[in-house]
Amino acid sequence: MLQNIAVLTSGNDSPGMNAAIRAVVRTAASKGVKVWGIHNGYKGLLNDEFEELTSRSVGDMIQKGGTMLGTARSNTFMTPEGQQKAFEILKSHGIEGLVVIGGCGSLKGGAILEELGMPVVGIPATIENDVWGTDYTIGSDTAANTVIDAINKLRDTASAHRRIILIEVMGKTSGWLALTSAIAGGAEHIIIPEAAYNVDYMAEEIKASYDIGKRYSIIVVAEGGASAVEIGKQISEKTGIDTRVSVLGHIQRGGSPTVKDRINATLLAERATLALVEGRSNILFGYDRSTVVELSLQEAVYCKKTLDTELIRLSRVLA
Ligand code: F6P
C-alpha cells in the first residue's frame, strides 16, 4: 500500500473538481495515506507548490465551483526537460503516486509522468465532455444546466418580440455541450464543429415556421462551429426577421455543481484513489452509462472522442 500521494487539478476548471479533491483526500485518509495538494496544476508542480491536505482542509468544499487547488497553464511542462523536472520534484517529496483531475491535455500530462515512472490515475473533468472512452466528465452536467437556464430565459424574450435568438456556447472542438443543451432546451437549430450546416436551409425553415404563426426561434451555436454573430447577421438578411445574439462565455465554467456532478466526482475520485493506494496505476476512471469503468490512461489521452450521431439525428428530428 502506498503511503504518500499527491493530487492536482489542471487545464480549465470545471464544477465538481472540489468534490473530487475532497473525495481523494478523505478516501486516502481513511486508509492512513498522506495526501499532498499541488497548487496551480503542472505549473505549480514545477514551482514546488505543495501543501499537505487533511480531511479538515477539504471541508466546506463540495458545494463550490472552481478548484481549491487552482489551475494554470505551463509551457515548461510541455517540454521533455520540464516533464523530467516535474517527475524529480514529485520524487523529492517522496510522492509514490499522483491523481490528475482535468481534461484531455491534463490527462496527457499524467500519461507522460506515468511513462517516466510515476504511478498516475486520471479523473476526467471538463465542461466539454470530450474525453475519449467515458460518457461523462466532471462539470459537464452543471455547464449543460447553465446553458438550459439561459435558453429558457432567452426564449421568453424571443417570443415576446418574435425574434430569432442565437446562443453561443463553449466547445472549440466538441459540440457535446451545444448538442445536449439544444435537445434538452428545445432549440430549433444547432451548429456544432462535428456536423455540416446550411444557413440557407435554416433561414427557409425559420421563415416557413414564422409564416404559420411561430413567435420565436432558438439557434444554439458551439463556438468551434461558427460565430453566432456572423450567422445571426446572415439569417437576419435572408429572413428579414430580427435576430439577437447571446454569447454565454465563462459563466458556463462556474457555479455550484449539480447533484450529478457532485456524486459522480465523488465516486470517480474514490475509485481512483483506492486503485492508486493499492498499487495500481495508468488508469483513467470514467463512466459507461451509469457504471464506473477503468480505461487505459495512455489509450484514452491519445484518442479523440466523437459525438453520438444518434443525438445529432435526434436534434434534427425534434427541431
Ligand atoms: O473549458 C473549455 C473551454 O471552456 C473552451 O470551450 C473555451 O474556449 C476555453 O475553455 C476558454 O478557456 P480560457 O478562456 O480559460 O482560456
Side-chain angles (χ1 to χ4, degrees):
M1 167 106 63
L2 308 192
Q3 293 305 317
N4 214 22
I5 66 169
V7 58
L8 62 78
T9 52
S10 164
N12 292 334
D13 59 300
S14 65
M17 279 183 158
N18 284 323
I21 296 166
R22 171 182 179 268
V24 168
V25 173
R26 293 196 174 167
T27 302
S30 76
K31 298 284 175 192
V33 176
K34 200 180 262 192
V35 183
W36 295 86
I38 301 170
H39 290 276
N40 304 316
Y42 293 113
K43 187 174 185 191
L45 169 53
L46 288 167
N47 289 336
D48 217 334
E49 296 176 40
F50 284 63
E51 179 198 0
E52 188 179 342
L53 298 176
T54 63
S55 289
R56 179 119 316 232
S57 38
V58 293
D60 195 22
M61 273 298 144
I62 195 163
Q63 78 282 14
K64 292 185 180 153
T67 160
M68 64 175 279
L69 288 175
T71 181
R73 301 219 163 85
S74 168
N75 291 333
T76 314
F77 185 74
M78 307 290 244
T79 65
E81 298 73 31
Q83 291 153 5
Q84 185 62 36
K85 184 174 171 208
F87 172 74
E88 276 153 22
I89 291 174
L90 286 165
K91 281 295 201 193
S92 73
H93 283 272
I95 304 298
E96 300 164 296
L98 174 68
V99 181
V100 173
I101 304 169
C104 296
S106 312
L107 295 166
K108 208 170 269 180
I112 290 166
L113 289 172
E114 171 83 38
E115 278 162 21
L116 291 173
M118 175 58 54
V120 174
V121 289
I123 301 176
T126 156
I127 63 164
E128 294 199 28
N129 200 3
D130 61 348
V131 177
W132 185 87
T134 176
D135 295 343
Y136 164 84
T137 60
I138 295 170
S140 55
D141 189 61
T142 306
N145 278 289
T146 299
V147 177
I148 293 296
D149 189 43
I151 292 176
N152 292 342
K153 288 173 177 157
L154 292 166
R155 189 199 296 271
D156 292 344
T157 175
S159 173
H161 288 268
R162 292 204 85 193
R163 281 175 176 154
I164 301 166
I165 293 199
L166 296 96
I167 304 163
E168 188 174 300
V169 307
M170 282 185 166
K172 272 194 185 130
T173 57
S174 165
W176 181 87
L177 189 56
L179 182 57
T180 309
S181 45
I183 293 173
E188 277 69 34
H189 290 281
I190 177 169
I191 295 179
I192 52 176
E194 293 90 340
Y197 63 93
N198 181 329
V199 180
D200 288 329
Y201 168 76
M202 272 183 208
E204 274 165 33
E205 280 233 316
I206 293 171
K207 185 89 182 59
S209 71
Y210 270 61
D211 288 346
I212 55 168
K214 196 164 167 60
R215 293 198 57 85
Y216 66 89
S217 201
I218 300 287
I219 305 175
V220 180
V221 182
E223 63 184 333
S227 151
V229 171
E230 197 41 53
I231 301 290
K233 273 189 209 142
Q234 292 179 29
I235 299 245
S236 174
E237 278 164 22
K238 289 177 198 294
T239 58
I241 301 167
D242 216 8
T243 58
R244 290 289 185 274
V245 176
S246 191
V247 179
L248 296 189
H250 287 77
I251 199 166
Q252 295 160 95
R253 287 245 292 272
S256 183
T258 57
V259 172
K260 179 173 174 176
D261 279 333
R262 296 182 199 194
I263 299 284
N264 285 4
T266 301
L267 290 175
L268 288 174
E270 194 230 11
R271 286 280 298 273
T273 308
L274 286 177
L276 188 65
V277 301
E278 283 160 8
R280 297 195 299 125
S281 70
N282 202 12
I283 306 167
L284 174 74
F285 286 80
Y287 272 91
D288 181 1
R289 275 143 290 193
S290 299
T291 307
V292 176
V293 289
E294 297 186 9
L295 304 145
S296 151
L297 183 60
Q298 308 287 332
E299 201 181 338
V301 299
Y302 294 112
C303 294
K304 166 101 180 83
K305 183 167 164 180
T306 51
L307 263 191
D308 184 350
T309 49
E310 181 55 19
L311 282 185
I312 298 178
R313 184 197 62 77
L314 187 61
S315 76
R316 289 178 178 148
V317 171
L318 299 180

